Amino acid sequence: MIEITNDDIKQLSDEELRELIGLLCEAELRSLGLSTAGVTWGGDQNAKDGGVDVREEGFIPRTTTIFQVKRTNMSASSIMNEMRPKGKLRETISQLADVDGAYIIVCSKNSTSDQMFQDRKNAMREALVDHPGTSRIKVDFYDSNRIASWVRNHPSMILWVKDK
């Protein structure tokens, strides 16, 4: 059996990681018998994107979910700068409050302990604290281990990662 580990995830380039998350969203929807039409990603990986690398409308955990994909290490302190550049909450994130959406930071370089995971989620909640309605936004952090677990749910994606 071909195994996938967090080390495999860590080896992906920034562009490959973003593509993997987009493909995983599609695979997840397909497995639920849902349309993949709402999954979008593309363009230049480094373009100004308002904090959106992959958008999925119809994926668990919420109907509208935004994934911010990073290959670099995202510490709890760097999360505030990502979500609130120059101290202002990104418009794309604040709009999630209107649709009870979710914002997930995906970081392939991190392999977090439970405390580090909680610190990152707390930093995400802190970035939302003073903005109206953002308490309705679900936040989450996917490190290399959680990405590898997600990949293992979709055997064809294991082959994709190994090929990269």
Side-chain angles (χ1 to χ4, degrees):
M1 182 170 147
I2 299 173
E3 183 59 33
I4 194 82
T5 68
N6 68 324
D7 289 329
D8 296 308
I9 301 302
K10 289 177 180 180
Q11 292 179 40
L12 295 175
S13 72
D14 205 24
E15 292 83 8
E16 290 167 340
L17 179 61
R18 181 174 62 160
E19 185 176 0
L20 172 62
I21 299 305
L23 292 170
L24 282 168
C25 287
E26 287 182 353
E28 193 73 28
L29 289 170
R30 249 185 247 103
S31 74
L32 296 170
L34 300 172
S35 171
T36 61
V39 179
T40 60
W41 78 92
D44 185 329
Q45 178 69 13
N46 297 312
K48 290 192 179 272
D49 56 19
V52 179
D53 284 320
V54 178
R55 181 180 296 269
E56 194 289 318
E57 297 183 15
F59 175 70
I60 300 167
R62 300 279 173 88
T63 303
T64 300
T65 300
I66 290 176
F67 294 88
Q68 178 62 54
V69 180
K70 297 288 185 188
R71 186 172 188 255
T72 57
N73 186 7
M74 288 290 289
S75 64
S77 61
S78 63
I79 286 173
M80 187 67 72
N81 291 331
E82 177 59 39
M83 294 178 69
R84 297 180 74 105
K86 298 179 183 172
K88 185 174 188 285
L89 185 65
R90 290 183 187 271
E91 183 66 24
T92 53
I93 298 172
S94 66
Q95 290 171 352
L96 289 170
D98 297 334
V99 293
D100 293 331
Y103 181 76
I104 299 173
I105 295 177
V106 178
C107 183
S108 66
K109 287 294 183 186
N110 285 107
S111 178
T112 58
S113 67
D114 185 63
Q115 185 60 54
M116 293 166 67
F117 169 72
Q118 294 303 327
D119 289 347
R120 281 154 178 79
K121 284 185 66 173
N122 288 338
M124 294 173 78
R125 287 185 197 103
E126 174 79 18
L128 301 174
V129 76
D130 65 347
H131 199 76
T134 54
S135 63
R136 296 190 311 266
I137 298 174
K138 176 176 177 44
V139 296
D140 210 340
F141 185 88
Y142 293 3
D143 68 357
S144 58
N145 289 315
R146 289 185 75 192
I147 300 165
S149 291
W150 193 7
V151 169
R152 286 190 291 269
N153 285 330
H154 303 283
S156 64
M157 297 309 306
I158 294 172
L159 297 174
W160 186 92
V161 170
K162 290 293 189 179
D163 182 57
K164 299 296 178 187

